[in-house]
Amino acid sequence: MIRVMVVDDHPMWRAAVVRDLDQAGFDVVAEAGAGDEALRRAEAVRPEVVVLDLQIPVLGGVEVTRRLVEADSGVRVLILSASGEQSDVLAAVKAGAAGYLVKSASREEFVDAVRRTAEGDAVFTPGLAGLVLGEFRRLSGASRVAEPVAPQLTERETEVLRLVAKGLSYKDIAERLVLSHRTIQNHVQNTLRKLQLHNRVELVRYALESGLDGSDDDAGDTGASGHVRHAP
């Protein structure tokens, strides 16, 4: 079972999220209503995924995200927020959040997002994935080089990294390369270890800064939800 901690300062909303996770078969190991409480409990229970609201008292979602990731590189933070503002999304991602979902998402979308976050996917509410990738491209624009990213990566790892940079999910990459989902996860984990990065968001940023997204010559396009949308 996937170990999840839920952080939200509204008790009724938090209880509803916990109920949905319980019913979907997740192991909710802790709850918290404030930032300092979340950090203490995360240290004690070591969740795999933290479902975190941005607007929480004492610290705040962005700072809590940063501290969670710094303390445990294996934890994955999924922001669940009422805000879909660009500044909030980018601040959370830059702090280390693995995904960002707005609270208007359906129960099915939320449960799927938690599961995919645990598997290593970067999950965003439709419309936000493109925003994040676009910001990374803007920041990396002048420094991009069309050189192989690192000689220690294998050809297959570099190929997977290129597809990660385009925003594809692990499922999409596995289908495109005719490999298993587990094999793609292993390639990504090996690449993270070799490049000394912590999560998929950092990996996307690294790939974009290295010019590996192929944005100028890609035949397809990446949809806002992180799935491939082919050109007509």
Side-chain angles (χ1 to χ4, degrees), residues 33-44:
D36 55 343
E37 181 185 18
L39 294 174
R40 289 196 305 269
R41 295 192 175 181
E43 184 178 8

Side-chain angles (χ1 to χ4, degrees), residues 20-56:
D20 287 344
L21 292 171
D22 282 336
Q23 292 175 352
F26 294 95
D27 181 15
V28 180
V29 295
E31 301 177 39
D36 55 343
E37 181 185 18
L39 294 174
R40 289 196 305 269
R41 295 192 175 181
E43 184 178 8
V45 301
R46 301 298 294 271
E48 298 169 72
V49 177
V50 176
V51 177
L52 175 67
D53 186 18
L54 280 185
Q55 305 301 323
I56 55 175

Side-chain angles (χ1 to χ4, degrees), residues 6-28:
V6 178
V7 184
D8 196 296
D9 65 329
H10 292 88
M12 290 183 63
W13 176 268
R14 189 170 71 243
V17 170
V18 170
R19 183 179 64 249
D20 287 344
L21 292 171
D22 282 336
Q23 292 175 352
F26 294 95
D27 181 15
V28 180

